[in-house]
Amino acid sequence: MNIGRKPNIYTKKRWNNRMVNIDVIDVAKIIKNQKLFFSTHKTLDTKFRKSQLKTLKRLLKENEELFFDVLKKDLGKSEYESFGSEIAQVLDEIDFALKNLNSWVEKKRVSAAWVSFPSRHYVYSVPYGVAYIIGAWNFPVLLTLTPLVGAIATGNCVILKPSELAQHTSNLLEKLFVKYFDEDYIKVVQGDAEISQQILNEDLDYVFFTGSSRVGKIIMKKAAERLIPVTLELGGKSPCIVDEDANLEISAKRVIFGKMLNTGQACVAPDYLLVHEKIADKFVQLLKERILNIYGNEPLQHEDIGKIINDNHFLRLVKYLTNGEVFHGGQVDKEQLKISPTLLVNVNWSDEVMNEEIFGPILPILTFSNLNDTIDLLNKFEKPLAAYYFSANKKKQEGFIKNLQCGGGMINDTMFHFGNPELPVGGIGNSGLGQYHGKYSFDTFSHKKSIVKKPYYLDLDLRYPPFKNKLKYLRAIFKL
Ligand code: NAD
């Protein structure tokens, strides 16, 4: 009888750019085993969770060199970037969770409602069960392991699927997790959309997705079939506004920093620039000087310029160079998949580069004259994951914060709001659903169970029928 499930046999498949025999992963069995593991209640023990967080810390620390190596191969990242924007960030999340876990796991007592007097009211945080974490390729360590910290802290079992596009990192994660973790508890499954869909067909308890808005919609639709709760960490076009009263020298440095981290392949990178028309010429010149200052005349040879993840993304980005006019940069190297930091001017809102998330080292620059009109215009577009505003004027800063709809952002800088475990990370509308990092990860991966405890003494008659002549007492209790 065909029950529609693939058997656990060997099949031929294109993988890592070659045809190989791979074991068709029996995802149903993995999930069944994880459910059994979860039902032992082992993960409910805070000591167990802490020990697993420490194991994750060990995995990262003992294999730092291997991580540097694969991140170099996948994305051409320097050790500095790999450490600062991936490994250190996860370690920081682990330490934050270890420090706070005892208080997070505590049931929280809340004020009791009079109607149920006498009683005590609590909120318990309980794990969902088996969580499926789907990662993106651009920060392949950070974006798979940061949600994992939250899932471990709450006591879930986890299936972790790194992006198939960061192949070396994905291979390494699978190899290391087998060594450090019980696979009935945490299992790395490698693969593409097809394997991901197979996993989504199973009896999951939570799905945490990082990736594009397009795939996010597919995931949510799939999860809706079984009413599986989801978090969607998506992307979008994050605007960066530089006003006439900004400190232009420092702003130029910080904009280029944000655009060039991971060679622009960051979900919170400033996607495009809106510069006040009064200072536009000067600011564009300062941006050019900054790029020259750091990367010189041969930027493609500079060791801190990473590579574009693959041919498709490289060709997609090269197409944008025909939009507007290249003010600076525009060099490309197809062999190395490198593109130099590029400033595009005379760009129109209708250009392709202004209608897709760029995700590369290309910065289109437009001008504006009135901040409020600009915010009104931006609010008509899809809500971005991040937004940045450079200005010395506190009133205008607050206006920007209150009026522009976006996931989060910064005033007078870029990117750093992503790295603090005290701050939630998450989008709004097209840029995502739900939040994580620090306590927000704990809350995301736990169900809040409301429990009321009643003693046996005092069993008030007021609650039981007959209700005749009792309404006045109820009104008194509710003060209505
Ligand atoms: P993607 O959506 O193509 O893929 C993400 C993951 O989903 C991969 O693991 C992939 O294998 C899986 N997947 C792809 N198609 C699927 C399908 N049909 N069913 C199930 N799973 C499927 O995204 P990407 O190219 O890896 O990442 C780039 C995007 O991610 C950008 O839009 C970026 O802004 C966004 N992003 C967001 C954040 C954030 O924190 N919000 C972080 C990084 C990247």
Side-chain angles (χ1 to χ4, degrees):
M1 186 176 60
N2 180 4
I3 56 163
R5 180 166 289 154
K6 284 194 179 174
N8 189 18
I9 52 163
Y10 284 86
T11 186
K12 254 196 164 1
K13 198 164 186 236
R14 182 164 286 284
W15 183 246
N16 288 3
N17 287 329
R18 59 190 200 280
M19 294 303 283
V20 288
N21 285 318
I22 63 154
D23 188 3
V24 174
I25 301 150
D26 191 345
V27 288
K29 190 168 160 204
I30 297 169
I31 290 159
K32 191 172 150 227
N33 290 344
Q34 291 209 346
K35 293 250 162 178
L36 282 173
F37 189 96
F38 186 74
S39 67
T40 62
H41 306 306
K42 216 170 159 174
T43 68
L44 297 187
D45 182 1
T46 310
K47 273 197 210 126
F48 173 82
R49 298 182 196 179
K50 281 189 178 172
S51 78
Q52 300 303 311
L53 286 170
K54 285 177 189 159
T55 303
L56 184 59
K57 193 169 169 178
R58 224 163 26 83
L59 180 152
L60 281 165
K61 286 193 149 187
E62 289 172 0
N63 300 285
E64 195 177 270
E65 290 298 324
L66 295 176
F67 279 110
F68 286 162
D69 180 50
V70 290
L71 289 168
K72 184 88 195 164
K73 284 180 178 145
D74 282 330
L75 289 146
K77 284 195 201 206
S78 64
E79 291 187 3
Y80 181 90
E81 267 202 37
S82 294
F83 184 76
S85 66
E86 303 236 31
I87 295 167
Q89 299 280 328
V90 183
L91 290 173
D92 198 34
E93 280 282 331
I94 296 172
D95 285 342
F96 191 78
L98 283 169
K99 193 170 137 210
N100 293 293
L101 197 59
N102 285 347
S103 89
W104 291 348
V105 298
E106 275 289 301
K107 60 180 187 286
K108 302 282 177 286
R109 189 166 171 198
V110 297
S111 340
W114 271 108
V115 273
S116 57
F117 179 82
S119 60
R120 288 177 176 218
H121 294 218
Y122 300 94
V123 180
Y124 283 70
S125 293
V126 295
Y128 281 98
V130 175
Y132 176 33
I133 296 174
I134 310 170
W137 54 262
N138 56 329
F139 289 91
V141 177
L142 177 77
L143 299 176
T144 39
L145 301 191
T146 305
L148 177 66
V149 173
I152 295 176
T154 41
N156 290 281
C157 293
V158 181
I159 297 179
L160 203 60
K161 198 199 78 60
S163 169
E164 70 281 16
L165 298 192
Q167 295 166 358
H168 296 96
T169 311
S170 179
N171 288 343
L172 178 66
L173 286 170
E174 183 181 28
K175 220 163 74 190
L176 293 179
F177 270 78
V178 168
K179 205 166 131 193
Y180 284 79
F181 288 95
D182 182 339
E183 65 178 16
D184 291 343
Y185 168 52
I186 300 173
K187 167 86 179 155
V188 171
V189 174
Q190 292 202 72
D192 52 13
E194 195 188 324
I195 190 86
S196 190
Q197 284 286 322
Q198 275 186 52
I199 298 170
L200 288 165
N201 278 334
E202 298 298 331
D203 185 18
L204 300 165
D205 300 296
Y206 202 90
V207 177
F208 187 102
F209 171 79
T210 304
S212 59
S213 306
R214 182 188 69 80
V215 178
K217 287 174 195 163
I218 297 174
I219 302 284
M220 192 161 174
K221 207 165 163 188
K222 191 86 193 164
E225 287 170 14
R226 289 162 174 262
L227 294 178
I228 302 169
V230 292
T231 296
L232 302 175
E233 294 287 335
L234 313 176
K237 285 183 86 63
S238 301
C240 179
I241 304 175
V242 181
D243 215 333
E244 56 183 318
D245 51 10
N247 177 325
L248 299 189
E249 280 77 16
I250 295 180
S251 304
K253 283 164 78 177
R254 295 178 181 173
V255 168
I256 296 301
F257 165 83
K259 191 64 183 181
M260 289 311 296
L261 186 78
N262 205 25
T263 319
Q265 301 170 112
C267 55
V268 285
D271 187 274
Y272 61 95
L273 206 55
L274 285 160
V275 189
H276 194 284
E277 58 187 14
K278 282 193 190 153
I279 48 113
D281 289 346
K282 185 172 177 200
F283 193 64
V284 175
Q285 193 57 36
L286 283 169
L287 292 172
K288 177 179 170 177
E289 282 165 24
R290 183 63 188 162
I291 294 170
L292 278 168
N293 194 276
I294 300 179
Y295 302 105
N297 285 319
E298 292 191 31
L300 296 179
Q301 311 309 325
H302 198 282
E303 59 183 8
D304 292 329
I305 298 271
K307 71 191 244 323
I308 306 305
I309 186 74
N310 61 20
D311 286 357
N312 287 345
H313 280 282
F314 177 82
L315 294 173
R316 180 182 61 79
L317 288 165
V318 168
K319 256 192 337 184
Y320 295 149
L321 298 176
T322 58
N323 289 186
E325 191 186 311
V326 173
F327 181 78
H328 179 71
Q331 295 108 309
V332 301
D333 180 338
K334 178 139 185 15
E335 281 300 299
Q336 291 191 77
L337 295 181
K338 289 196 172 188
I339 298 175
S340 68
T342 300
L343 305 173
L344 288 182
V345 294
N346 295 330
V347 175
N348 290 313
W349 286 105
S350 57
D351 288 337
E352 212 175 350
V353 73
M354 292 309 297
N355 288 287
E356 293 166 5
E357 185 180 5
I358 298 172
F359 232 58
I362 299 170
L363 186 62
I365 302 160
L366 295 96
T367 58
F368 75 95
S369 55
N370 180 294
L371 180 65
N372 291 336
D373 291 349
T374 304
I375 290 174
D376 288 346
L377 176 71
L378 296 182
N379 279 336
K380 292 196 174 88
F381 303 159
E382 297 286 14
K383 299 174 187 73
L385 183 60
Y388 304 105
Y389 179 58
F390 289 79
S391 161
N393 183 317
K394 291 216 165 69
K395 203 167 154 216
K396 288 203 274 182
Q397 291 174 3
E398 284 308 310
F400 165 85
I401 294 166
K402 283 188 191 131
N403 300 332
L404 184 73
Q405 288 201 292
C406 63
M410 287 186 81
I411 297 294
N412 296 335
D413 208 342
T414 58
M415 313 296 275
F416 282 96
H417 64 296
F418 198 92
N420 176 2
E422 301 270 5
L423 289 176
V425 166
I428 168 172
N430 205 57
S431 57
L433 186 77
Q435 290 123 0
Y436 76 133
H437 281 208
K439 173 70 159 51
Y440 297 92
S441 293
F442 184 85
D443 289 339
T444 284
F445 281 102
S446 57
H447 166 65
K448 304 299 172 198
K449 196 188 259 186
S450 298
I451 295 292
V452 174
K453 293 184 180 173
K454 291 273 292 178
Y456 277 116
Y457 72 88
L458 202 64
D459 194 40
L460 293 177
D461 250 357
L462 181 66
R463 60 185 275 186
Y464 300 114
F467 296 129
K468 207 171 167 200
N469 298 328
K470 287 181 178 170
L471 183 59
K472 56 180 181 272
Y473 299 111
L474 208 54
R475 283 190 193 284
I477 287 172
F478 282 108
K479 298 192 178 89
L480 291 171

